[in-house]
Amino acid sequence: MSLDGFPPFISAQLHYLINHFPDKIKVEQVLSGGKTYTGGLDRFTLLIPYCLDYIKWDIKYNAEFPLAPPDIIFGPEDEDFHPLHMTGRVGEGDLKFWNILSDWNYKDPTRLLALIQELRDRYMAYQKKRVGEVDDDRLTFEISTICSREGIEMQISSGAEKPEEVKFAVPLMDMNINKMVHGCPWRHPQKIYLQVIYPVGKKYASTPSAPRLKLMSTTELRALFTIEDVKLPSWLDGMCMAEYLPHLEESLQKQVLEAVSLIDIRRHFIEALAPLFGRPLEADPVFCRKATFLASSGSFVFLVHFHISTLFPKQQPALMFQSSQHISPQGIPKKSPLLAEYPWSPRWEASQMAERIFDFLADESLNFKRFCNESQPQH
């Protein structure tokens, strides 16, 4: 996001926060709080990742008095969250928190990051305490079996129109996926989580309801691996997370390793296109998901865009033509719809795949040329 309009000291702290926070943090609702001061923007809302969702905290600096730390207003659903009174006694964590505030140095760009990280840690402890106080034997047992698992987050939610629920965000697999992809462009660690949502049980319920399960991942991971294609194992009656997770992780690990190996399969396919189409004008060098070639049919010159799925070669590439000679009235080059219906077998060698696509394009390019000529405005 653009940090224009902020005073330099706020801009520096925000920039450091955005670039060094472990997960992707968002900034919204930027405005100025001063009625007479024109020194710039000084308040905004932070969307902080927590438990596979976002918590919203309003950050209010006073640009007229930069020596003071910002005020932080938590959401209405967290009115019982009092980070300065978490333990009832002064401990090492409390002293650290007080030091962040009392030693506030507005010229230090790391200050806001340190404050938000400390508050988020306290928020995580607050939510864990709330979940631990729920009067539900199954939840008490689940927490006791997974409390040693690193990185797990939990949250309790309730409302007037929905029953009380406890949500767990469980990080899966101790794998550094970023290091497995050569030339990885990701700034943040790529992770896969299991979201587990338990309805809080009633004492008179004979059989506890099964939790709702959903796989979730960081957004950038989809360039390599699509979790929507993963079939979750069944949750059996009487099962707990400690039993469920090892089988899921073993299956996921195999699928992630296969997804990494498919990068080279896609790269080999793009290389097999070159003898027929020439060198690609553009190609995705990391994940090998896209490539663009220049083609011609007589005097008709056009581009061929290849969109290659993570499921390649089981799923054939989608093709799109783009004319270099026909422009719409809006100044946009004429393009075909995506084409994915043509002869294909995942068992073919890459060279045969390329040859069959080349033969298909030789015929289909005539239809595309006719489409471009017929849709061209007459003068």
Side-chain angles (χ1 to χ4, degrees), residues 53-229:
D53 203 345
Y54 288 94
I55 47 177
K56 293 185 177 183
W57 293 348
D58 293 330
I59 314 298
K60 295 190 174 184
Y61 285 87
N62 187 336
E64 296 184 67
F65 301 98
L67 294 178
D71 292 329
I72 299 182
I73 302 175
F74 308 113
E77 67 280 3
D78 294 317
E79 60 182 11
D80 295 327
F81 175 47
H82 304 293
L84 290 175
H85 308 285
M86 289 284 292
T87 62
R89 57 187 176 83
V90 178
E92 182 178 342
D94 299 288
L95 291 175
K96 177 183 176 183
F97 191 27
W98 278 112
N99 287 338
I100 292 174
L101 297 175
S102 61
D103 294 340
W104 187 264
N105 179 0
Y106 78 99
K107 296 181 180 179
D108 182 354
T110 70
R111 291 291 84 195
L112 180 60
L113 172 64
L115 177 59
I116 296 301
Q117 283 184 321
E118 180 64 24
L119 284 173
R120 190 185 182 281
D121 289 344
R122 287 169 174 262
Y123 184 80
M124 186 161 60
Y126 159 74
Q127 285 290 349
K128 185 176 181 179
K129 181 175 181 291
R130 290 188 69 205
V131 172
E133 293 171 348
V134 172
D135 185 17
D136 186 299
D137 293 339
R138 179 177 59 163
L139 278 170
T140 302
F141 175 73
E142 287 284 12
I143 294 171
S144 70
T145 61
I146 62 168
C147 62
S148 62
R149 193 178 181 97
E150 187 176 349
I152 192 167
E153 296 179 351
M154 58 191 77
Q155 187 173 30
I156 187 168
S157 63
S158 61
E161 299 181 3
K162 68 175 184 176
E164 195 173 41
E165 295 179 330
V166 171
K167 179 169 66 173
F168 292 89
V170 185
L172 301 173
M173 303 183 304
D174 187 19
M175 298 173 67
N176 190 330
I177 302 177
N178 293 46
K179 286 189 175 181
M180 297 167 66
V181 178
H182 181 69
C184 162
W186 298 320
R187 285 176 51 195
H188 300 287
Q190 298 304 299
K191 300 174 184 177
I192 301 175
Y193 300 87
L194 180 67
Q195 183 186 73
V196 187
I197 301 178
Y198 285 97
V200 174
K202 304 298 182 183
K203 287 298 182 183
Y204 54 77
S206 57
T207 305
S209 303
R212 300 199 306 274
L213 306 173
K214 184 180 181 180
L215 273 184
M216 301 180 72
S217 74
T218 41
T219 305
E220 295 92 340
L221 187 62
R222 294 178 181 176
L224 172 70
F225 180 68
T226 307
I227 57 168
E228 285 79 9
D229 298 323

Side-chain angles (χ1 to χ4, degrees), residues 191-333:
K191 300 174 184 177
I192 301 175
Y193 300 87
L194 180 67
Q195 183 186 73
V196 187
I197 301 178
Y198 285 97
V200 174
K202 304 298 182 183
K203 287 298 182 183
Y204 54 77
S206 57
T207 305
S209 303
R212 300 199 306 274
L213 306 173
K214 184 180 181 180
L215 273 184
M216 301 180 72
S217 74
T218 41
T219 305
E220 295 92 340
L221 187 62
R222 294 178 181 176
L224 172 70
F225 180 68
T226 307
I227 57 168
E228 285 79 9
D229 298 323
V230 176
K231 182 176 175 59
L232 284 171
S234 299
W235 183 284
L236 305 177
D237 289 343
M239 183 174 270
C240 66
M241 274 196 277
E243 295 174 288
Y244 186 81
L245 294 175
H247 301 290
L248 173 60
E249 289 186 305
E250 182 181 358
S251 172
L252 269 178
Q253 186 166 349
K254 291 177 181 177
Q255 294 179 65
V256 169
L257 290 172
E258 181 184 9
V260 173
S261 70
L262 287 176
I263 295 176
D264 284 336
I265 303 295
R266 295 193 292 269
R267 180 176 287 110
H268 185 46
F269 167 71
I270 293 174
E271 291 170 348
L273 294 168
L276 299 167
F277 289 91
R279 290 175 59 87
L281 299 180
E282 292 182 329
D284 171 9
V286 178
F287 302 105
C288 302
R289 296 283 309 279
K290 295 180 180 180
T292 298
F293 293 85
L294 187 66
S296 64
S297 176
S299 60
F300 178 51
V301 180
F302 57 99
L303 302 176
V304 183
H305 302 288
F306 286 78
H307 300 269
I308 309 172
S309 163
T310 56
L311 298 179
F312 178 91
K314 293 179 183 177
Q315 187 176 98
Q316 64 204 86
L319 314 175
M320 178 187 287
F321 297 168
Q322 176 183 323
S323 175
S324 60
Q325 300 167 312
H326 300 81
I327 306 295
S328 73
Q330 294 75 32
I332 302 172

